[in-house]
Amino acid sequence: SMIGDCFYYILPEPVTDKLTIEASVYLESNVDRSLIIFASPLEGSPYGDGPSLYFHNEGSLRYYDTAFRILDVKYPARQWIDVKLELNIPEQYYDIYIDNFDFPVARAPFRNPACTEIQIVGFTVYTHMVQPKPVYVDTLIVY
């Protein structure tokens, strides 16, 4: 497995239709790259073959498909943030909700267009030359 050193949950069976992921996260800093919320097939990438949502430098939220796409919303440091991802696996996209679950802030395509199932959901600490500050996860709900 390529999953390596991250926190993840393996679903009992692969999901090929719709899936929702909810989490509450708290990041000590928004200065250095911090966290990825990801979902992949069983032998998929810890950066996400499906959803690949980054809590990135300077408070920016980004998703990755063929490049980083910056969302029009910032995340604050030292504050709990509620995140929801609604996956449409056959159509290979996910809607991203931050704090307000009534309206998505973006719709993102899957990172890997060959991804047709999800069986791993989790978090990867993301860093590049600078160790990020601590990250806390209070809940992970997958349904």
Side-chain angles (χ1 to χ4, degrees):
S1 173
M2 294 178 48
I3 294 300
D5 192 18
C6 60
F7 167 79
Y8 59 92
Y9 177 73
I10 299 175
L11 303 173
E13 297 291 328
V15 178
T16 58
D17 189 23
K18 301 207 182 217
L19 185 71
T20 299
I21 302 165
E22 292 184 23
S24 294
V25 298
Y26 182 98
L27 300 102
E28 286 283 331
S29 172
N30 62 7
V31 175
D32 298 313
R33 300 171 185 188
S34 297
L35 181 71
I36 305 168
I37 298 176
F38 76 93
S40 287
L42 190 56
E43 295 299 323
S45 166
Y47 301 110
D49 286 333
S52 185
L53 181 66
Y54 288 66
F55 289 78
H56 210 271
N57 295 339
E58 304 308 324
S60 71
L61 281 166
R62 303 174 181 204
Y63 66 85
Y64 190 91
D65 53 11
T66 57
F68 281 112
R69 313 295 180 182
I70 300 174
L71 301 182
D72 220 8
V73 62
K74 297 281 188 179
Y75 71 90
R78 295 173 303 283
Q79 179 177 317
W80 284 101
I81 304 157
D82 293 321
V83 180
K84 180 168 83 170
L85 306 179
E86 290 184 336
L87 287 62
N88 184 321
I89 299 166
E91 299 294 323
Q92 298 183 312
Y93 71 80
Y94 57 105
D95 290 326
I96 303 165
Y97 298 80
I98 304 295
D99 285 332
N100 180 350
F101 288 176
D102 293 331
F103 302 101
V105 296
R107 173 170 285 176
F110 280 7
R111 181 180 183 124
N112 180 349
C115 181
T116 59
E117 66 180 36
I118 298 295
Q119 195 169 3
I120 297 176
V121 174
F123 305 91
T124 301
V125 174
Y126 177 55
T127 183
H128 180 70
M129 301 177 60
V130 177
Q131 183 64 35
K133 301 290 185 196
V135 174
Y136 303 93
V137 178
D138 184 49
T139 56
L140 171 62
I141 303 168
V142 181
Y143 55 96

